């Protein structure tokens, strides 16, 4: 049982260090709370089972708070400030000019 816990702790610390490199301050505070709760859970591995499950519930609450905090960072739709992209508007203009040329070519054809 110790080996999987060490592996889990290693993965948790690696993920936390990766997060420290790229995260904003607010999600980083939430990650600190998750890491603190997980460390408390590892301290109780060989202790009382009731305390272990109580700490596991605290880890779950910290995890939910973390996910709620980073939800905006994980949002994949463009934000309001990302709506203006010159390449998008240039393609739209190109398509508009192409449609206009096709309409004028259709009207110029003899029937």
């Amino acid at each position: 049982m110790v080996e999987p816990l060490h592996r889990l702790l290693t993965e948790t610390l690696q993920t936390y260090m990766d997060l420290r490199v790229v995260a904003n301050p607010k999600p980083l505070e939430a990650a600190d709370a998750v890491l603190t709760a997980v460390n408390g859970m590892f301290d109780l591995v060989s202790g009382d089972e009731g305390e272990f499950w109580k700490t596991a519930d605290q880890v779950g609450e910290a995890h939910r708070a973390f996910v709620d905090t980073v939800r905006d960072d994980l949002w994949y739709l463009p934000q309001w400030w990302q709506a203006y992209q010159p390449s998008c508007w240039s393609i739209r203009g190109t398509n508009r000019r192409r449609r206009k040329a096709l309409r004028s070519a259709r009207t110029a054809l003899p029937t």
Side-chain angles (χ1 to χ4, degrees):
M1 181 167 173
V2 174
E3 179 62 31
L5 291 176
H6 283 295
R7 196 168 346 132
L8 181 62
L9 182 60
T10 303
E11 288 180 16
T12 302
L13 289 174
Q14 182 180 2
T15 304
Y16 178 73
M17 292 302 157
D18 290 344
L19 189 63
R20 284 194 63 84
V21 172
V22 297
N24 295 328
K26 200 171 182 183
L28 197 55
E29 291 173 10
D32 287 336
V34 172
L35 186 63
T36 302
V38 168
N39 284 336
M41 192 169 161
F42 281 115
D43 292 340
L44 294 172
V45 168
S46 60
D48 182 28
E49 188 174 335
E51 283 291 320
F52 180 80
W53 289 113
K54 182 179 172 185
T55 308
D57 289 339
Q58 290 174 353
V59 170
E61 290 171 10
H63 181 261
R64 279 190 292 278
F66 173 75
V67 170
D68 289 341
T69 303
V70 299
R71 190 176 308 274
D72 291 333
D73 290 340
L74 297 175
W75 194 253
Y76 294 110
L77 294 176
Q79 301 293 331
W80 64 269
W81 64 85
Q82 297 169 331
Y84 177 72
Q85 295 180 355
S87 60
C88 177
W89 291 103
S90 67
I91 290 170
R92 185 175 176 179
T94 303
N95 289 341
R96 186 171 8 115
R97 286 189 293 277
R98 187 178 299 140
R99 284 193 307 269
K100 186 177 179 181
L102 286 173
R103 274 193 306 256
S104 65
R106 271 191 234 134
T107 57
L109 289 175
T111 56

